[in-house]
Amino acid sequence: RRAANHSHNLLRTIQTTNIINNTMKLYQAAAALFASAVVVSAFTPSSTTVPINNRNIIGTRSFVPKFGTTSSLAMSDSAVIDAETVEEGETFEFQAEVGRVMDIIINSLYSNRDVFLRELVSNAADACDKKRFLSLTDGETASLAKPEIKIKSDKDAMTVTIEDTGVGMTKSELQNNLGRIAQSGTKKFMEALGEGKADVNLIGQFGVGFYSAYLVADKVEVVTKSMQGDSPQLKWTSDASSSYTISEDNSDPIEGSGTRLILHLKDDALEYMESAKLEELLQHYSEFVEFPISVWKEKTEYKQVPDEEANTDLPEGEEPKMKTVPETTEDYELMNTNKPIWLRTPNEVTEEEYKDFYQSAFRATYDEPMAHTHFSLEGQIECKSILYIPGMLPFELSRDMFDEDAKNIRLYVKRVFINDKFEDIVPRWLKFVRGVVDSQDLPLNVSREILQKSKVLSIINKRLVRKSLDMIKEIESDEDESKYIMFWNNFGKYLKVGVIEDRRNKDDIVPLLRFFTSSSGEEYASLDQYLENMKENQKQIFYVTADGKEKAQMSPAAEKVRSRGYEVIYLTEPIDEIMIENVSEYKDFKLVDVSKEGLSFDDEDKEERKKKEEELNVDHKAVKDYLEGALAGKVQKVQITDLLSDSPAALVQSAYGMSPTMQRYMKAQNVAAGGSDEGMMGSFNQAVLEVNPTHPIVQDLERMVRSQGEESDEAKDFAVLLYDVAALTSGYEIEDSGDFAQRILSMMTLKSKSDIRDVEVEAQNVEQEPVEDNHENV
């Protein structure tokens, strides 16, 4: 009574604290319940009971037919009857606590009830696997029926039947493995055979899979016949309530041995009677299971038969006219025709097989992978994997480069598909890499839907990243340069994200980056190629950011460097500026943004350069001061420089200022987050206006200031227009486009009036000239 009261209170605590929504905590609560019952109960826990934190429970597969991992909650050992005789319709009671814990498992453990088929098929495969292993050591059973799994639905009876020709179960095994929550039969089997035998590892180890049947069924019947000699055919029946029944079965006999699960579907689960739905789930979860899986389905074939009506008056000797009629048949159809080539050694797999596997596994019929790698991990961690680099950008990634629904890495445990949405299996910058990973060491939770962080995951992650980088380098080093250009056009953005997010592998990614430069024309160039083209004694790598290659070429900031014979790298995408902030140096050469204030060159003396700029600012102090006054609030300061050659002015940023590209990005982020872009232009005030005193436009402005004075509207419009042009060519946006247009129209009008006055004056001069002078001129 004390144990029952304690268990009752513990379960009530579970319900009131709403732990049901957390799978792992529920599982721990069930284990705590078990522990409290053990203290005062009459039975002793089985020696095979595994601690709750043991990795073999969390994320491994347990017995054939995989009806759960263990905690001997259901019955005491004294209730397990070894004798295989069955009284007619024997009924066995679950303990009340067991029924409630089973309810938790059924209703809260799995987030997607489609997985019931995965779990039950995995059970069947485990049973077949165990039978095959035992047959190798028992000469009498070597000639038993070939292991296979068959699935059939009956719409009239509203049932789905899953039948295997596996090892089957005796009465005591039914009680131990189905009458108890989480009884680990496979664990016992492995321990009985001893540790360290490779063949034993073929036997699967799953979790509480059998009880997933109650996700879709309100009643389950298990008809089974053990491969042990003279074993009767038995039926286990339960509706997941407080009891189950074991009786002898006289329905369709099972040949040899095996198990037949009959699921009586719930009213809201009738979709699983459709063969198309079953086929879809099998293709998704179990297409690489080793044993044949067949589904009973209706087939329609078209046959040519004589057309009796058309042949009524057929002349003798003529061939009878035929017609096409449909013929419907029902039969089993094999589902898992694909072979898991990752389990073979690489030298056994041909290039054609790698391509066919990629196209079938990832539904990419029209895509040929650019590269693949096939490898395995051995030692403390066992893992087999194949990775591919697609030949084209997958459709789902063309809409969103980090689409959460994109399924790139398919995770298997012993050929059974687990999930393809584990975020931590590879970093997100490798979202485009596709492949399969098969490992029994992965730390899954008990429902095998959540991948837990662990050292094992970290090791697998590192190896997948390393192998992916090796594939990319292999494409880069190919003699056909067009292959890497195609790769870069498809996946270059992902490598830039890798530079930002993956510090561990940044140094390996940077040499793989490609850019347009002022000297590369329409071709891409790497940083190594830039270094090869550097001027003698050059110690800096120059770059400029812009919204596209054409705007980068127009940039006055880049002009300052090009005019001196230096090559400039064009960063033309919003992500480039964030990426380049993580690459301050490359092979001891500093990367320098030419659009920042204080640009200097290695071939000139800094003191001399400073002195020269001071002299320029003194010589053109009038126009400098005027511009600073006219553009107050728009620029931080005005600087006279001789670095510009063709442009009248340029806007540059201070050392910590944001480029125009970054300003637009920040604005968009702020608006997307629900903020306003008002006030975001405060960073725009960090801009410095650099003015070329030798340019005719600047010289005209300087004359206006001297002749018309600082109050001249014409000079002010001229100054603001100079700023607008510098902003546009430097990549900034015009704050007030209407005001800008008005200034353009004013200048055009002024120019037109001036031209008209010139024409009128010229006409008056012509009229006043003497006629004889005109003759002489003629």
Side-chain angles (χ1 to χ4, degrees):
R1 284 196 302 270
R2 197 179 307 119
N5 289 335
H6 182 73
S7 301
H8 177 73
N9 291 334
L10 179 57
L11 283 169
R12 187 168 58 184
T13 302
I14 292 174
Q15 293 171 339
T16 55
T17 54
N18 199 24
I19 301 179
I20 289 178
N21 292 326
N22 188 317
T23 301
M24 292 308 300
K25 289 183 179 180
L26 284 173
Y27 196 81
Q28 292 168 354
L33 173 62
F34 161 68
S36 64
V38 167
V39 176
V40 293
S41 64
F43 69 85
T44 303
S46 168
S47 61
T48 60
T49 300
V50 184
I52 187 66
N53 290 325
N54 188 297
R55 184 164 54 87
N56 287 327
I57 278 189
I58 300 180
T60 58
R61 301 192 298 183
S62 304
F63 167 56
V64 193
K66 188 174 87 121
F67 302 145
T69 53
T70 27
S71 76
S72 309
L73 269 174
M75 303 168 57
S76 66
D77 285 350
S78 60
V80 179
I81 305 172
D82 292 331
E84 298 307 325
T85 58
V86 179
E87 300 294 336
E88 185 174 350
E90 289 184 81
T91 299
F92 301 86
E93 292 292 327
F94 289 119
Q95 291 182 3
E97 292 82 359
V98 174
R100 298 179 70 176
V101 173
M102 188 159 65
D103 181 65
I104 290 173
I105 292 173
I106 295 169
N107 296 312
S108 302
L109 194 59
Y110 295 95
S111 62
N112 177 13
R113 66 180 184 175
D114 283 352
V115 300
F116 87 93
L117 193 61
R118 176 191 73 184
E119 298 295 310
L120 299 181
V121 168
S122 298
N123 281 346
D126 287 346
C128 292
D129 214 356
K130 185 173 180 180
K131 179 177 180 179
R132 181 179 63 177
F133 180 82
L134 292 176
S135 69
L136 296 176
T137 58
D138 188 346
E140 294 182 3
T141 60
S143 59
L144 294 176
K146 179 182 177 181
E148 62 179 341
I149 302 166
K150 293 183 176 180
I151 303 173
K152 183 177 182 179
S153 61
D154 186 335
K155 294 184 179 179
D156 294 332
M158 296 174 58
T159 61
V160 170
T161 302
I162 302 171
E163 184 170 358
D164 66 72
T165 57
V167 69
M169 287 178 286
T170 63
K171 177 186 174 184
S172 61
E173 287 171 339
L174 281 173
Q175 291 175 279
N176 277 294
N177 298 310
L178 276 66
R180 302 183 180 191
I181 298 293
Q183 173 67 32
S184 180
T186 297
K187 183 69 176 177
K188 288 182 178 180
F189 177 66
M190 294 176 65
E191 290 179 354
L193 292 174
E195 298 181 356
K197 295 184 179 181
D199 287 339
V200 178
N201 290 329
L202 296 174
I203 309 301
Q205 295 182 358
F206 278 81
V208 290
F210 169 72
Y211 296 99
S212 66
Y214 290 100
L215 293 171
V216 298
D218 49 22
K219 177 183 177 182
V220 176
E221 296 176 337
V222 180
V223 179
T224 184
K225 183 180 180 183
S226 173
M227 65 183 292
Q228 296 181 14
D230 299 326
S231 294
Q233 182 166 311
L234 304 174
K235 178 191 286 188
W236 180 99
T237 305
S238 177
D239 57 3
S241 59
S242 60
S243 64
Y244 61 90
T245 301
I246 297 178
S247 61
E248 288 200 14
D249 180 72
N250 54 10
S251 63
D252 293 342
I254 295 175
E255 295 183 9
S257 65
T259 300
R260 182 186 303 140
L261 271 69
I262 304 171
L263 311 182
H264 296 263
L265 298 179
K266 300 175 182 178
D267 291 339
D268 62 349
L270 299 183
E271 60 176 320
Y272 298 105
M273 289 193 298
E274 300 295 333
S275 60
K277 179 65 174 180
L278 297 173
E279 183 176 352
E280 175 191 344
L281 296 181
L282 289 171
Q283 291 291 343
H284 186 62
Y285 291 111
S286 307
E287 64 176 326
F288 298 111
V289 169
E290 182 177 6
F291 304 102
I293 304 173
S294 301
V295 172
W296 183 266
K297 59 186 301 186
E298 185 180 89
K299 299 179 183 178
T300 301
E301 297 179 352
Y302 293 90
K303 299 178 62 176
Q304 291 286 325
V305 297
D307 189 340
E308 296 180 1
E309 294 183 3
N311 294 328
T312 302
D313 301 324
L314 184 70
E316 187 176 350
E318 287 190 13
E319 291 187 5
K321 296 181 181 180
M322 309 294 285
K323 66 178 180 178
T324 302
V325 296
E327 184 179 55
T328 301
T329 60
E330 290 185 321
D331 200 357
Y332 283 104
E333 181 177 327
L334 186 64
M335 294 290 105
N336 54 335
T337 55
N338 287 336
K339 302 301 180 184
I341 63 173
W342 66 81
L343 298 180
R344 296 156 58 186
T345 57
N347 57 7
E348 295 177 348
V349 187
T350 66
E351 290 296 318
E352 190 66 22
E353 286 178 311
Y354 280 122
K355 186 185 80 171
D356 291 344
F357 175 78
Y358 171 80
Q359 292 178 337
S360 63
F362 297 98
R363 312 296 186 260
T365 308
Y366 302 104
D367 183 22
E368 290 192 16
M370 300 183 70
H372 62 79
T373 182
H374 185 179
F375 63 95
S376 62
L377 292 176
E378 296 180 352
Q380 291 183 337
I381 300 171
E382 291 187 5
C383 169
K384 297 181 183 296
S385 178
I386 297 179
L387 299 179
Y388 293 91
I389 292 181
M392 62 180 69
L393 185 66
F395 174 73
E396 60 271 18
L397 297 182
S398 64
R399 298 170 298 177
D400 178 358
M401 66 182 295
F402 300 118
D403 187 357
E404 293 181 357
D405 294 327
K407 303 169 182 177
N408 57 328
I409 301 296
R410 297 171 61 87
L411 181 62
Y412 292 81
V413 174
K414 295 191 175 182
R415 304 175 182 229
V416 177
F417 175 73
I418 302 300
N419 209 325
D420 51 16
K421 292 184 179 180
F422 289 133
E423 295 180 357
D424 295 327
I425 197 72
V426 291
R428 70 172 190 154
W429 69 269
L430 285 175
K431 190 79 171 177
F432 63 94
V433 175
R434 287 175 159 178
V436 298
V437 176
D438 192 331
S439 174
Q440 59 184 340
D441 295 319
L442 287 170
L444 301 170
N445 73 331
V446 69
S447 66
R448 300 188 293 145
E449 294 177 317
I450 302 172
L451 189 61
Q452 300 167 338
K453 292 183 186 253
S454 71
K455 183 179 179 181
V456 173
L457 180 59
S458 177
I459 292 173
I460 294 176
N461 177 287
K462 289 178 182 178
R463 181 55 64 92
L464 295 180
V465 172
R466 177 51 47 195
K467 288 295 183 179
S468 298
L469 283 169
D470 290 344
M471 281 194 294
I472 298 172
K473 291 176 182 178
E474 181 183 336
I475 298 173
E476 184 200 31
S477 60
D478 195 288
E479 293 181 358
D480 186 355
E481 295 181 358
S482 64
K483 289 185 178 180
Y484 194 71
I485 292 174
M486 182 183 300
F487 168 83
W488 180 257
N489 288 333
N490 285 328
F491 310 114
K493 289 182 180 180
Y494 291 93
L495 297 191
K496 295 175 182 179
V497 174
V499 173
I500 298 169
E501 297 182 348
D502 194 344
R503 294 186 178 181
R504 180 191 301 153
N505 296 290
K506 182 184 72 174
D507 292 340
D508 291 319
I509 302 172
V510 171
L512 301 171
L513 301 177
R514 293 294 183 269
F515 311 94
F516 288 117
T517 74
S518 56
S519 304
S520 67
E522 298 300 320
E523 304 294 330
Y524 288 114
S526 66
L527 288 176
D528 288 318
Q529 290 172 319
Y530 182 96
L531 296 183
E532 292 174 3
N533 298 332
M534 287 174 65
K535 292 177 64 176
E536 188 177 354
N537 298 324
Q538 181 180 345
K539 298 179 181 179
Q540 300 177 103
I541 299 174
F542 298 107
Y543 70 88
V544 66
T545 60
D547 288 339
K549 180 183 173 185
E550 292 74 15
K551 290 187 177 180
Q553 290 172 330
M554 292 172 53
S555 171
E559 171 192 313
K560 296 187 294 186
V561 180
R562 289 198 308 265
S563 63
R564 283 164 173 74
Y566 294 103
E567 186 175 12
V568 185
I569 293 174
Y570 296 152
L571 303 183
T572 57
E573 296 180 342
I575 194 175
D576 288 347
E577 188 167 355
I578 305 173
M579 179 269 297
I580 209 68
E581 291 295 329
N582 292 272
V583 191
S584 58
E585 289 187 1
Y586 182 71
K587 294 185 177 180
D588 298 327
F589 291 90
K590 185 178 180 181
L591 274 73
V592 177
D593 186 352
V594 300
S595 64
K596 294 294 177 70
E597 181 188 14
L599 180 66
S600 63
F601 300 98
D602 300 319
D603 57 356
E604 64 181 4
D605 184 84
K606 292 184 179 180
E607 290 297 325
E608 185 177 340
R609 157 60 50 190
K610 183 178 179 181
K611 182 179 178 182
K612 188 172 183 180
E613 287 183 349
E614 289 176 351
E615 292 176 353
L616 285 171
N617 280 280
V618 171
D619 293 342
H620 301 278
K621 187 175 185 303
V623 70
K624 176 180 180 296
D625 291 344
Y626 179 77
L627 285 170
E628 286 182 343
L631 302 176
K634 293 180 179 290
V635 298
Q636 184 182 14
K637 63 180 179 179
V638 176
Q639 188 77 25
I640 307 298
T641 180
D642 63 349
L643 294 178
L644 295 169
S645 57
D646 299 325
S647 300
L651 279 179
V652 298
Q653 287 290 326
S654 62
Y656 301 102
M658 286 192 295
S659 72
T661 302
M662 183 56 65
Q663 288 182 32
R664 282 190 290 275
Y665 174 78
M666 295 295 289
K667 254 203 223 178
Q669 290 290 94
N670 190 48
V671 172
S676 170
D677 61 354
E678 296 295 330
M680 286 298 297
M681 296 306 292
S683 58
F684 194 85
N685 293 330
Q686 295 177 342
V688 175
L689 181 65
E690 291 186 345
V691 177
N692 178 8
T694 62
H695 197 281
I697 292 177
V698 178
Q699 292 176 348
D700 280 349
L701 176 60
E702 200 164 9
R703 282 194 296 269
M704 288 182 194
V705 173
R706 289 176 179 171
S707 62
Q708 300 177 14
E710 296 184 359
E711 301 301 324
S712 169
D713 290 338
E714 183 181 358
K716 185 174 182 180
D717 286 344
F718 205 83
V720 176
L721 191 58
L722 175 66
Y723 163 82
D724 289 339
V725 172
L728 283 173
T729 55
S730 298
Y732 294 88
E733 294 178 346
I734 299 298
E735 295 180 54
D736 190 341
S737 57
D739 191 36
F740 173 72
Q742 189 60 46
R743 284 192 294 275
I744 295 291
L745 291 174
S746 297
M747 292 198 64
M748 292 173 66
T749 302
L750 185 63
K751 180 68 168 61
S752 299
K753 290 180 179 179
S754 176
D755 289 343
I756 291 173
R757 285 196 299 270
D758 290 342
V759 171
E760 290 176 347
V761 170
E762 185 177 350
Q764 291 175 359
N765 291 336
V766 170
E767 290 176 357
Q768 293 174 2
E769 287 180 357
V771 175
E772 56 272 24
D773 290 345
N774 287 337
H775 284 300
E776 290 176 4
N777 290 336
V778 172

